[in-house]
Amino acid sequence: MKKQLFILFLMIWSSLTVQAQTTAGSPPVDPLLKGRDLLQQLAGGLDVASYLDSWTPYAQSNWYRGLMKTTDAAILAKDIADLTEFIKPTAYNEGFNLTNLRSLAAEAKNYGDVANLLKTLEAGIKPEAYKNDWVSKESSWISELKFVK
């Protein structure tokens, strides 16, 4: 009888252990969705004064609508380059090579390239070009880039 109870206990325990292992992991992160989200956060993290006058509500709406229709890494890289066309040149750090970033965006083929573009763009913008709360979000934003690769 004790042996049967012991076997029953082992079966229940191993069943619960397997179930815990299969439900404990989180689902994989879609790099496209994460990339879009991080780009949207970056665009929203910039102070309004950092944008050119051409960043009208209509232009913003078109850019965001295009971003939501993005289907792959190459198009997401183009969305990054498109955003740079609305940012004032004075919002970039001295020596930041915007032409190089746009060239890299045109050549991007995978989500690793997209993550590098996002990181490069974020670092290339002056700290004062961001909204005040960006400082508290920046480290989390940077750590989430790993999900884009």
Side-chain angles (χ1 to χ4, degrees), residues 17-146:
T17 303
V18 169
Q19 183 180 2
Q21 289 174 357
T22 58
T23 58
S26 58
V29 176
D30 183 338
L32 173 62
L33 297 178
K34 182 50 82 173
R36 282 195 292 199
D37 180 49
L38 291 176
L39 180 54
Q40 196 170 10
Q41 287 178 36
L42 182 66
L46 288 171
D47 191 89
V48 176
S50 300
Y51 285 105
L52 296 168
D53 292 339
S54 58
W55 186 245
T56 62
Y58 180 75
Q60 291 175 42
S61 176
N62 280 342
W63 183 81
Y64 281 112
R65 194 172 22 259
L67 180 62
M68 291 304 115
K69 293 179 182 178
T70 297
T71 57
D72 62 36
I75 298 171
L76 187 53
K78 183 185 177 311
D79 292 332
I80 294 168
D82 289 347
L83 178 64
T84 66
E85 295 178 18
F86 292 105
I87 300 171
K88 288 181 179 177
T90 56
Y92 294 105
N93 289 316
E94 191 174 320
F96 179 71
N97 192 333
L98 189 55
T99 304
N100 187 45
L101 180 101
R102 289 179 180 157
S103 177
L104 291 171
E107 298 168 5
K109 294 183 178 27
N110 58 53
Y111 291 105
D113 295 338
V114 169
N116 289 334
L117 286 167
L118 284 167
K119 186 176 182 177
T120 301
L121 178 58
E122 192 275 337
I125 297 173
K126 292 178 180 175
E128 58 269 20
Y130 290 100
K131 294 178 181 173
N132 291 337
D133 66 347
W134 182 254
V135 173
S136 64
K137 297 175 182 177
E138 183 180 22
S139 63
S140 173
W141 186 89
I142 289 171
S143 72
E144 289 187 31
L145 285 172
K146 67 182 173 229

